[in-house]
Amino acid sequence: MHRFTVTFTREIEADTAEEAALLLYQELSKGPLPDRYSVTDETGVNMEVKLDREKADEFASIDHTADPGNW
């Protein structure tokens, strides 16, 4: 298995960093999840990834830990 760092950016207006984090959490728990990400692999190579929402939802609905290839 390889290791990746996945990030996304949202600009949020808030009075404190904690409030910004809470507002982001609120947004993610109620609205659609982001579909654009910045992905950096273990060698430092960075790429932008845009997910197909339908394929991403299908992937999320499957328990991939049950796949023996993941053990």
Side-chain angles (χ1 to χ4, degrees):
M1 277 260 174
H2 298 280
R3 185 171 297 269
F4 297 90
T5 301
V6 181
T7 58
F8 70 98
T9 301
R10 289 275 167 86
E11 288 190 20
I12 297 175
E13 291 186 17
D15 292 326
T16 65
E18 182 178 35
E19 181 185 10
L22 289 169
L23 289 169
L24 175 63
Y25 182 84
Q26 182 182 47
E27 183 180 324
L28 291 175
S29 68
K30 293 182 180 177
L33 294 173
D35 62 357
R36 293 182 182 272
Y37 300 89
S38 175
V39 181
T40 305
D41 69 15
E42 55 211 0
T43 65
V45 174
N46 190 1
M47 66 194 83
E48 297 298 317
V49 176
K50 182 180 184 326
L51 299 179
D52 175 295
R53 177 71 64 193
E54 189 175 310
K55 289 180 182 177
D57 288 342
E58 180 183 345
F59 182 87
S61 71
I62 298 169
D63 180 5
H64 293 276
T65 60
D67 178 1
N70 290 333
W71 297 346

